[in-house]
Amino acid sequence: MPKTSARLLSLLSLLQARRDWPGALLAERLEVSPRTVRRDVDRLRELGYPIMTVKGPDGGYRLGAGAELPPLLFDDEQAVALAVALQTVATTGAGIEEAAARALNTVRQVMPTRLRHRVDAFRITAVERRNPRVDPQVLVTLGAAVHAREVLRFDYGGAFPPRRVEPHHLVTWGGRWYLVAWDLAREDWRTFRADRIAPRTPGGPRFSPRELPGGDVVTFVAGRFQGSDGSGWPCRGEVILDLPAAAVSDYVRDGIVEELGPDRCRLVLGAWSWPGLAATIGRFDADIEVVGPVELREAFGLLARRYARAAG
């Protein structure tokens, strides 16, 4: 029989692994009697772990949520994943960088040497974009409204009157946080930047979830940031560049790059407007052959005249 301290840690690890544990199964896994399991559960409760008794034919135990966060056990993969995630917090814009750094230091101090070496060898420098930071409490409020399916009221960027929405999803895109919601006044879907939201209390009544255009939040958000309701960019063109495909593909997120030779490639790209698309393509600093459509060719002519006047 293992020592009491080692057995308590094994019991805690088992309780974290699944929701409900029959007492007899715990006794079998720990190779002790059901009476010993009951005593060990009482010891864990004295240490602050909220372990509930599950009634039923078999009886059992469940690790619940308490008023305070007790010590937790992580397997090797969970510990490494947690350390990596904490190092990339700066890119989320959630405004919790200091807390994440403290948490990472706490986790690292209690890691076994073999895991600490793995984490130290995987140091990450998170390069954050210069995006506005979001108050963590605002994110908590938005997330709670999404979870509870309650109508949300908030001031938005100084606009009046306050917005009333049905919040459906809290998402990140390009280093910013957005709320995806059904705007009750405009009767349409909207995406709101979280850093511009100032929640008001109290909230509104509960609502039934609506179906997002496109079927899921990823498709919907990607479509919105491409300037449409999910069908793609409003302006989309094709050109041939006198550049290797490898030199172009690293700078194209939503486009298609096809290699035509060692120094030529085909580029299909979209944008909000035809002049905007032409300007985006022009930044590659290479000779350009327009495949189509005619609107893109005309946009290049428009920019050529503007640039000529600017060079006056």
Side-chain angles (χ1 to χ4, degrees):
M1 180 185 300
K3 294 182 179 180
T4 301
S5 57
R7 195 175 62 245
L8 288 177
L9 290 175
S10 297
L11 174 58
L12 178 59
S13 180
L14 289 173
L15 290 171
Q16 290 180 172
R18 56 184 278 183
R19 180 172 175 82
D20 294 324
W21 277 95
L25 183 56
L26 281 175
E28 179 182 341
R29 293 288 293 270
L30 296 171
E31 299 180 352
V32 297
S33 67
R35 181 181 178 184
T36 300
V37 171
R38 290 194 294 271
R39 288 202 303 264
D40 287 349
V41 167
D42 289 337
R43 291 190 180 99
L44 288 177
R45 286 169 174 163
E46 292 174 359
L47 294 173
Y49 292 95
I51 302 175
M52 297 176 288
T53 301
V54 179
K55 297 181 179 180
D58 298 329
Y61 303 96
R62 175 187 303 165
L63 182 61
E68 297 180 352
L69 182 66
L72 302 175
L73 291 177
F74 297 101
D75 60 32
D76 289 5
E77 291 184 351
Q78 289 175 325
V80 173
L82 180 61
V84 171
L86 290 171
Q87 292 184 66
T88 60
V89 161
T91 64
T92 67
I96 54 174
E97 293 83 0
E98 183 181 347
R102 295 200 310 270
L104 176 60
N105 187 54
T106 300
V107 171
R108 185 183 175 281
Q109 286 181 356
V110 297
M111 279 184 172
T113 302
R114 67 181 189 281
L115 291 185
R116 191 180 305 120
H117 288 163
R118 287 178 60 185
V119 171
D120 289 345
F122 198 66
R123 285 291 179 178
I124 302 170
T125 299
V127 180
E128 58 178 313
R129 301 176 64 174
R130 296 297 181 180
N131 291 329
R133 317 312 290 164
V134 183
D135 184 346
Q137 188 55 48
V138 170
L139 294 180
V140 171
T141 301
L142 299 182
V146 169
H147 180 74
R149 299 298 186 194
E150 292 180 347
V151 171
L152 185 67
R153 298 189 310 126
F154 57 84
D155 297 313
Y156 190 66
F160 188 83
R163 311 297 282 267
R164 291 182 65 253
V165 304
E166 296 176 353
H168 279 68
H169 297 276
L170 185 61
V171 302
T172 61
W173 179 279
R176 284 196 176 104
W177 287 85
Y178 295 89
L179 177 69
V180 177
W182 176 264
D183 192 310
L184 292 170
R186 292 158 179 79
E187 296 186 345
D188 194 11
W189 291 99
R190 292 287 190 271
T191 54
F192 301 94
R193 278 177 46 176
D195 59 282
R196 296 179 177 175
I197 292 177
R200 288 194 173 199
T201 55
R206 292 180 178 270
F207 62 89
S208 298
R210 301 173 186 263
E211 184 176 353
L212 273 168
D216 62 80
V217 67
V218 175
T219 302
F220 172 79
V221 172
R224 282 299 168 102
F225 283 100
Q226 290 177 354
S228 73
D229 58 2
S231 59
W233 291 102
C235 303
R236 194 170 182 85
E238 179 179 341
V239 300
I240 295 176
L241 298 176
D242 285 351
L243 281 175
V248 176
S249 59
D250 288 343
Y251 302 96
V252 176
R253 185 180 67 178
D254 298 320
I256 300 172
V257 181
E258 177 188 355
E259 184 176 358
L260 299 180
D263 297 311
R264 280 167 61 85
C265 68
R266 184 189 310 276
L267 172 64
V268 180
L269 197 62
W272 288 91
S273 66
W274 293 112
L277 177 57
T280 299
I281 295 172
R283 69 189 173 94
F284 286 105
D285 190 21
D287 288 340
I288 303 168
E289 176 187 338
V290 178
V291 177
V294 65
E295 289 87 354
L296 179 57
R297 191 182 307 275
E298 293 172 348
F300 275 111
L302 174 63
L303 291 185
R305 294 189 293 273
R306 284 180 180 173
Y307 293 158
R309 287 194 297 269

